[in-house]
């Protein structure tokens, strides 16, 4: 029987266990979106993960609207991330860069321009800005003529990720950001080749992933989807019609792994009554399938035993437990996380969570 602690091959990456660190936005960069030295300490502390998926990293100024988040579009950012990846590798770990375009969820006060999306539909709620929360703005629809430049931007970010020492990339195609806004018909109201049918709405995902695989190799390209339920105002009237199509397209492209953030009815950080689509997606996608959201050691092992999951990504448990793999292996108690320090800029709630050997 496969266990969480058995190795797994994720494309070109030899992962020593099946416990992945999920991407976690932590806002410890500079206002110029450059990684800071403390980030190297944070990621190195968590190098025991089979694979670290980095916090979401902006591919361009247009697509990055989160204060103190980091980017991968200039040399200072590449150099900053190189210090992080060197620290992870020195600690024996593996790390991929999650590539992020926030779509309609950016704010012009951060990016300096109107947001873009599949359609001119504003998101509900508030954007997080340097001046505090502000209402989301109505985006403009991304023109078909702009898509080649968008693809070039993803290619540049992928090349920069490899130059920065990452072992690969993960495309952020989930959580209500740009790619997800094209996938789901709750936002996408286009009547061109990128709207309407599930095949058309999957088109941008397929083109971006194709660009990444041709730039750095399919064996170093992963993808994240969030197929079930409303995420930041983005939803679909019939997710079973679109996400299996997306999974089949990703299978054909031969990506290294697919991660699904699947909300549960009583989720602690988002909830949904829409049933998980992983059993259906498993039938369409034959590569390594990673599941995420509200797993414990026991439920994670059960997901592996079911034959649906090949690995499990943990988010907040990894945030509060730098040695999560060892704690799960030994059954040691877990530290509680402090949500008040998720997006602050200091060491508190970031690099000061105790490991087992430092617990009195």
């Amino acid at each position: 029987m496969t266990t969480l602690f058995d190795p797994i091959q994720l494309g070109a990456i030899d992962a020593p266990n099946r416990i992945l660190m999920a991407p976690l936005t932590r806002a410890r960069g500079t206002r110029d979106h450059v990684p800071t030295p403390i980030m190297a300490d944070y990621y190195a502390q968590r190098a025991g993960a089979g694979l670290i998926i980095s916090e979401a990293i902006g591919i361009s100024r247009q697509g990055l609207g989160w204060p103190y988040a980091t980017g991968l579009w200039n040399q200072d950012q590449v150099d900053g991330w190189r210090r992080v990846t060197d620290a992870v590798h020195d600690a024996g770990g593996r790390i991929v860069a999650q590539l992020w375009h926030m779509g309609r969820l950016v704010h012009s006060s951060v990016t300096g321009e109107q947001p873009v999306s599949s359609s001119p539909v504003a998101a509900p709620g508030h954007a997080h800005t340097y001046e505090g929360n502000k209402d989301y703005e109505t985006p403009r629809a991304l023109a078909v003529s702009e898509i080649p430049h968008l693809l070039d931007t993803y290619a540049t970010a992928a090349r920069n990720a490899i130059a920065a020492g990452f072992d690969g990339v993960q495309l952020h195609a989930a959580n209500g950001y740009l790619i997800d806004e094209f996938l789901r018909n709750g936002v996408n109201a286009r009547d061109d080749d990128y709207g309407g049918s599930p095949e058309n709405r999957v088109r941008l995902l397929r083109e971006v992933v194709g660009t990444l695989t041709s730039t750095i190799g399919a064996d170093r390209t992963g993808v994240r989807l969030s197929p079930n339920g409303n995420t930041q105002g983005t939803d679909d009237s019939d997710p079973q019609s679109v996400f299996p199509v997306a999974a089949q397209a990703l299978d054909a492209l031969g990506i290294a792994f697919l991660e699904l953030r699947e909300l549960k009815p009583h989720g602690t950080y988002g909830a949904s009554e829409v049933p998980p689509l992983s059993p259906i997606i498993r039938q369409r996608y034959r590569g390594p399938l990673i599941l995420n959201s509200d797993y414990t050691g026991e439920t994670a092992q059960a997901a592996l035993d079911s034959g649906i999951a090949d690995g499990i990504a943990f988010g907040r448990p990894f945030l509060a437990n730098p040695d999560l793999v060892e704690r799960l292996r030994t059954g040691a108690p877990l530290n509680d996380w402090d949500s008040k320090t998720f997006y602050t800029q200091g060491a508190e709630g970031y690099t000061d969570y105790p490991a087992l050997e430092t617990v009195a």
Side-chain angles (χ1 to χ4, degrees):
M1 187 71 70
T2 300
T3 77
L4 290 169
F5 310 103
D6 291 331
I8 184 173
Q9 194 72 31
L10 302 172
I13 300 170
D14 301 315
N17 60 67
R18 294 163 186 257
I19 300 169
L20 281 68
M21 178 174 166
L24 294 158
T25 299
R26 300 306 310 275
R28 260 63 177 192
T30 71
R31 286 187 70 124
D32 293 325
H33 306 298
V34 176
T36 53
I38 196 174
M39 293 172 59
D41 298 334
Y42 168 78
Y43 281 107
Q45 288 175 346
R46 291 153 178 81
L51 176 65
I52 295 171
I53 305 172
S54 81
E55 62 201 75
I57 306 174
I59 63 168
S60 65
R61 191 173 298 279
Q62 177 196 70
L64 182 55
W66 192 278
Y68 300 107
T70 64
L72 264 175
W73 66 80
N74 66 41
Q75 190 60 48
D76 286 345
Q77 295 162 350
V78 171
D79 293 343
W81 275 113
R82 169 60 79 171
R83 289 187 286 272
V84 174
T85 62
D86 283 349
V88 170
H89 292 147
D90 288 347
R94 297 139 185 84
I95 183 169
V96 297
Q98 190 188 60
L99 303 184
W100 195 26
H101 190 302
M102 294 177 65
R104 67 178 183 161
L105 298 181
V106 307
H107 195 276
S108 61
S109 68
V110 180
T111 63
E113 60 181 276
Q114 183 183 7
V116 298
S117 184
S118 58
S119 301
V121 181
H126 305 283
H128 181 49
T129 79
Y130 289 111
E131 293 81 37
N133 289 338
K134 298 186 177 184
D135 289 345
Y136 282 117
E137 300 166 305
T138 300
R140 63 177 181 82
L142 191 71
V144 172
S145 61
E146 295 178 275
I147 290 177
H149 175 70
L150 176 68
L151 299 179
D152 288 344
T153 305
Y154 273 107
T156 297
R159 283 192 293 268
N160 284 345
I162 299 303
F166 284 101
D167 298 297
V169 304
Q170 184 196 59
L171 174 66
H172 198 339
N175 297 20
Y177 296 115
L178 182 67
I179 305 299
D180 205 21
E181 293 161 17
F182 272 79
L183 284 172
R184 301 208 254 183
N185 63 15
V187 178
N188 187 340
R190 300 173 75 102
D191 59 5
D192 57 17
D193 288 345
Y194 293 87
S197 69
E199 290 76 15
N200 279 1
R201 285 182 278 130
V202 167
R203 187 182 305 273
L204 183 63
L205 169 69
R206 188 173 61 246
E207 291 179 349
V208 172
V209 175
T211 295
L212 297 176
T213 60
S214 64
T215 301
I216 64 169
D219 60 351
R220 296 194 181 276
T221 301
V223 173
R224 176 183 241 212
L225 298 173
S226 52
N228 70 314
N230 185 313
T231 307
Q232 301 194 89
T234 296
D235 206 350
D236 194 88
S237 64
D238 184 14
Q240 291 192 38
S241 72
V242 65
F243 284 100
V245 174
Q248 192 159 340
L250 296 173
D251 184 77
L253 288 162
I255 61 171
F257 67 94
L258 173 60
E259 181 204 6
L260 304 179
R261 179 177 184 254
E262 293 194 302
L263 300 175
K264 295 178 171 60
H266 304 290
T268 59
Y269 208 65
S272 175
E273 297 295 332
V274 178
L277 296 187
S278 50
I280 300 172
I281 288 173
R282 174 78 284 175
Q283 297 172 20
R284 303 291 186 94
Y285 175 73
R286 295 168 293 177
L289 186 63
I290 311 300
L291 301 185
N292 174 293
S293 197
D294 284 310
Y295 281 94
T296 65
E298 292 75 17
T299 59
Q301 183 60 53
L304 264 61
D305 295 344
S306 74
I308 294 175
D310 298 299
I312 302 294
F314 292 84
R316 286 159 294 150
F318 246 126
L319 180 156
N321 298 274
D323 54 352
L324 179 64
V325 174
E326 187 60 22
R327 288 175 186 263
L328 293 178
R329 189 193 308 274
T330 61
L334 302 185
N335 300 322
D336 294 327
W337 56 79
D338 179 7
S339 59
K340 297 189 301 293
T341 62
F342 280 0
Y343 309 121
T344 53
Q345 279 68 68
E348 183 183 4
Y350 192 60
T351 56
D352 62 350
Y353 285 106
L356 281 172
E357 63 270 18
T358 63
V359 175

